Amino acid sequence: MEMQDLLNKTHDEKRQGEAYAPFEADPNQYKKRFYIESYGCQMNFSDSEIVASILNNEGFGATRNFLEADLVLLNTCSIREKAEQTVRKRLTEFRKVKESKPGLLIGVLGCMAERLKAKLLEEEKLVDLVVGPDAYRSLPMLIEEAETGQKAVNVLLSRDETYADISPVRLDSNGITAFISIMRGCNNMCSFCVVPFTRGRERSRDAYSILAEAEDLFSRGFKEVTLLGQNVDSYYWVDEQKDEVITFAKLLEKVALVSPTLRVRFSTSHPKDITDEVLHTMAAHENICRYIHLPIQSGNTRVLQLMNRTYTREWYLAKVDRIREIMPDCGISSDIIAGFCTETEAEHRDTLSAMEYSKYDMSYMFFYSERPGTLAERRYEDDIPEDIKKRRLQEIIEVQNKLSKESNLKDLGKTFKVLIEGNSKRSEFDWYGRNSQNKVIIFPKKDYTLQPGDYVQVKVNDCTQATLIGEIIN
Ligand code: 5AD
Ligand code: SF4
């Protein structure tokens, strides 16, 4: 993969910024149209589905064509400077559209809305609406205000908003896989990270509403749900009727019991919080996928301390050992930051060796980008020159490429249960699916009795660095 592609790669597999809509809404049913683009993490894509539901109730139907829209929304990301630059560029483009369509409202949602607040309205005059991640219920009111030319801003963060009662409208759905948000916010305060400031305090969603959403999806033909949160292992909800504490492990089990043919995934796990109870629950249920996203960030204990990750190199590597002990076939992936404040060459090499030890199947890799207001910005100097950051990142990418290839080569000759998600992007004669370890497998359709949502046994007989290639066996 090109360096630039990897630098652009963010924390999800969705296409950044791509507009999507469930359907071209019926003009008789909806008096107005909205167009939405999402950037950043899976949580943002999931939030856009809540926003779509709120807007549907207000008589706004989705459109894939912004020229048809009365309302254009960008659900934004602040995690790195580059993410914000992309959105600013896009806003300038929409501003031009508005010149020939004065009634058009442009809104910024998500983390940039929260971080920049009214600045976006006042100094830059780029937008009409600014709505933070906990304020989506007020969108209808804010739209009305903006329609009368007032400044419409709500960036209040909440201690209890989880949108538990809102049934998301599935956008750009393949009808087979879906996200379920189980908690919001983050209390971890990793020193490089802006998320605790833009998404607020951590809170867990009512377990019954999560189960109801999973059951509803399954009854509509969905076969895989991914439980989403910034730190899913700290999920904690008290069932007051039964006087029972629901931990993440308990929740995982309850969702797995919806049906043995419903696959369950989750993201993201913090190495300090993932418990043996979670690992044993995974091992006990075939339909909980053998895959853990376990971000290391750095392989050096001193740097991890500066990052406020609250674990050491040894603790992290022991966690990897524990996962492999309980589930020898479990896939593991990571997030890695190159060139954090004061990182030395030797400390950078500790990251490379930790990667080798952990044998990641894949990683999301970034160079450090200082974010205003974070602990690192206030405490440490961003002192690693950009060329060194980029060179270290390139070394990290090369190690990961090698590990991904090795991991795929090990799968040659093995047979996996694969959930068919749809056509391969390259050919309508091939299926696209994933195995439990979250690896993509492409294989010829052979006969035409199968369809998306079916499980098949696929034997791997070839691979690239990113994909397994196989054939259906009976
Ligand atoms: N600079 C670079 N990468 C960052 N991440 C979070 N904040 C920053 C930053 N300031 C990465 C971390 C995190 C992922 C979502 O993004 O690796 O796990
Ligand atoms: Fe950011 Fe750390 Fe929370 Fe992840 S766990 S969202 S990196 S503060």
Side-chain angles (χ1 to χ4, degrees):
M1 196 181 294
E2 290 293 312
M3 171 86 166
Q4 199 52 43
D5 288 343
L6 280 157
L7 300 185
N8 289 340
K9 199 162 175 180
T10 48
H11 196 248
D12 71 301
E13 293 156 356
K14 285 268 185 184
R15 289 150 298 186
Q16 294 294 300
E18 195 153 292
Y20 51 92
F23 52 150
E24 293 300 314
D26 174 3
N28 298 320
Q29 190 185 354
Y30 295 105
K31 53 185 196 295
K32 292 187 172 171
R33 299 295 185 97
F34 74 93
Y35 168 93
I36 189 163
E37 284 182 6
S38 305
Y39 294 83
C41 65
Q42 292 167 332
M43 190 61 98
N44 255 8
F45 285 79
S46 170
D47 279 0
S48 291
E49 301 187 326
I50 288 166
V51 167
S53 173
I54 293 170
L55 292 175
N56 276 180
N57 287 338
E58 284 302 301
F60 278 88
T63 173
R64 284 176 195 276
N65 178 357
F66 63 78
L67 295 172
E68 279 178 14
D70 306 286
L71 172 65
V72 165
L73 297 172
L74 298 191
N75 196 352
T76 62
C77 171
S78 291
I79 198 106
R80 282 168 291 277
E81 199 184 338
K82 176 122 196 315
E84 291 202 355
Q85 282 166 357
T86 310
V87 167
R88 278 175 196 279
K89 232 176 92 199
R90 200 69 183 130
L91 280 174
T92 330
E93 285 164 20
F94 283 122
R95 202 68 214 173
K96 287 210 192 87
V97 177
K98 190 174 159 116
E99 278 166 20
S100 57
K101 198 178 172 185
L104 178 68
L105 293 181
I106 300 174
V108 171
L109 313 179
C111 289
M112 266 177 90
E114 195 60 51
R115 201 179 79 71
L116 297 165
K117 305 191 166 60
K119 249 196 198 163
L120 281 165
L121 284 172
E122 287 153 12
E123 288 168 27
E124 317 194 15
K125 299 206 166 35
L126 280 172
V127 299
D128 307 294
L129 283 146
V130 177
V131 192
D134 286 345
Y136 298 144
R137 284 182 205 270
S138 66
L139 257 169
M141 208 186 72
L142 294 168
I143 292 168
E144 268 179 39
E145 281 178 21
E147 277 170 345
T148 64
Q150 297 172 63
K151 287 181 181 145
V153 190
N154 187 349
V155 288
L156 287 176
L157 287 173
S158 158
R159 280 183 170 267
D160 48 25
E161 178 64 275
T162 58
Y163 302 111
D165 57 314
I166 295 181
S167 230
V169 170
R170 302 293 162 184
L171 295 165
D172 195 30
S173 171
N174 59 10
I176 309 297
T177 61
F179 297 126
I180 301 181
S181 158
I182 65 163
M183 57 200 299
R184 301 181 70 80
C186 185
N187 285 356
N188 281 328
M189 290 301 205
C190 299
S191 64
F192 51 78
C193 188
V194 77
V195 168
F197 303 95
T198 59
R199 288 191 160 267
R201 303 292 291 171
E202 183 178 291
R203 67 222 93 124
S204 297
R205 176 178 167 190
D206 177 329
Y208 288 109
S209 75
I210 296 169
L211 279 173
E213 195 171 322
E215 279 159 6
D216 174 60
L217 285 163
F218 185 68
S219 73
R220 286 158 48 204
F222 284 80
K223 292 290 175 56
E224 182 183 295
V225 293
T226 302
L227 308 181
L228 280 188
Q230 246 73 40
N231 181 12
V232 289
D233 300 284
S234 63
Y235 179 87
Y236 181 92
W237 190 77
V238 182
D239 183 345
E240 273 160 13
Q241 283 162 11
K242 294 192 187 157
D243 199 17
E244 185 190 354
V245 171
I246 316 262
T247 58
F248 180 60
K250 292 237 172 66
L251 179 75
L252 201 51
E253 170 149 68
K254 285 179 195 291
V255 180
L257 291 174
V258 166
S259 164
T261 63
L262 179 70
R263 274 187 170 176
V264 188
R265 300 185 185 276
F266 55 88
S267 188
T268 295
S269 296
H270 194 299
K272 80 172 160 57
D273 292 322
I274 187 165
T275 57
D276 271 11
E277 195 195 358
V278 168
L279 301 180
H280 287 303
T281 305
M282 291 174 75
H285 296 270
E286 190 265 343
N287 60 326
I288 304 180
C289 290
R290 300 288 183 266
Y291 170 65
I292 300 177
H293 184 58
L294 195 73
I296 188 171
Q297 313 295 3
S298 163
N300 174 270
T301 298
R302 188 190 73 89
V303 175
L304 285 167
Q305 252 160 18
L306 292 184
M307 288 178 163
N308 200 24
R309 289 291 288 179
T310 70
Y311 53 83
T312 61
R313 172 189 174 90
E314 289 69 31
W315 163 281
Y316 181 93
L317 298 180
K319 203 48 108 176
V320 169
D321 288 342
R322 190 73 181 135
I323 293 169
R324 303 227 189 268
E325 191 183 323
I326 296 174
M327 288 172 291
D329 61 342
C330 191
I332 304 180
S333 61
S334 195
D335 289 349
I336 301 165
I337 299 178
F340 187 65
C341 314
T342 74
E343 182 190 68
T344 65
E345 285 301 321
E347 289 166 340
H348 161 63
R349 285 195 298 276
D350 283 344
T351 297
L352 301 178
S353 69
M355 292 173 71
E356 298 269 5
Y357 186 92
S358 306
K359 297 192 172 59
Y360 298 127
D361 300 290
M362 73 117 177
S363 292
Y364 298 100
M365 300 157 283
F366 318 97
F367 59 77
Y368 175 57
S369 160
E370 185 177 81
R371 307 309 293 133
T374 55
L375 294 182
E377 188 249 1
R378 284 182 271 152
R379 284 189 196 154
Y380 316 120
E381 195 190 337
D382 179 13
D383 60 350
I384 308 298
E386 188 155 316
D387 56 334
I388 295 182
K389 281 185 188 171
K390 286 189 173 164
R391 195 252 306 144
R392 288 182 189 169
L393 175 61
Q394 188 54 39
E395 288 172 9
I396 288 170
I397 291 170
E398 276 158 22
V399 168
Q400 185 54 55
N401 286 350
K402 187 195 76 169
L403 293 174
S404 299
K405 187 77 201 262
E406 282 170 7
S407 161
N408 280 355
L409 286 172
K410 266 202 225 145
D411 287 341
L412 291 183
K414 288 188 193 160
T415 299
F416 294 103
K417 181 173 167 185
V418 174
L419 173 62
I420 301 179
E421 290 177 39
N423 285 340
S424 135
K425 275 166 220 148
R426 296 234 175 101
S427 157
E428 57 180 300
F429 302 109
D430 292 336
W431 287 123
Y432 166 104
R434 278 176 296 151
N435 66 7
S436 179
Q437 290 75 9
N438 207 34
K439 285 192 183 173
V440 169
I441 307 196
I442 304 292
F443 49 99
K445 289 187 176 177
K446 211 161 89 177
D447 64 52
Y448 288 81
T449 54
L450 293 165
Q451 50 183 337
D454 287 342
Y455 289 98
V456 277
Q457 294 291 330
V458 179
K459 184 172 179 214
V460 177
N461 42 38
D462 199 1
C463 69
T464 66
Q465 185 187 298
T467 314
L468 300 177
I469 298 156
E471 61 182 335
I472 299 170
I473 59 161
N474 298 320

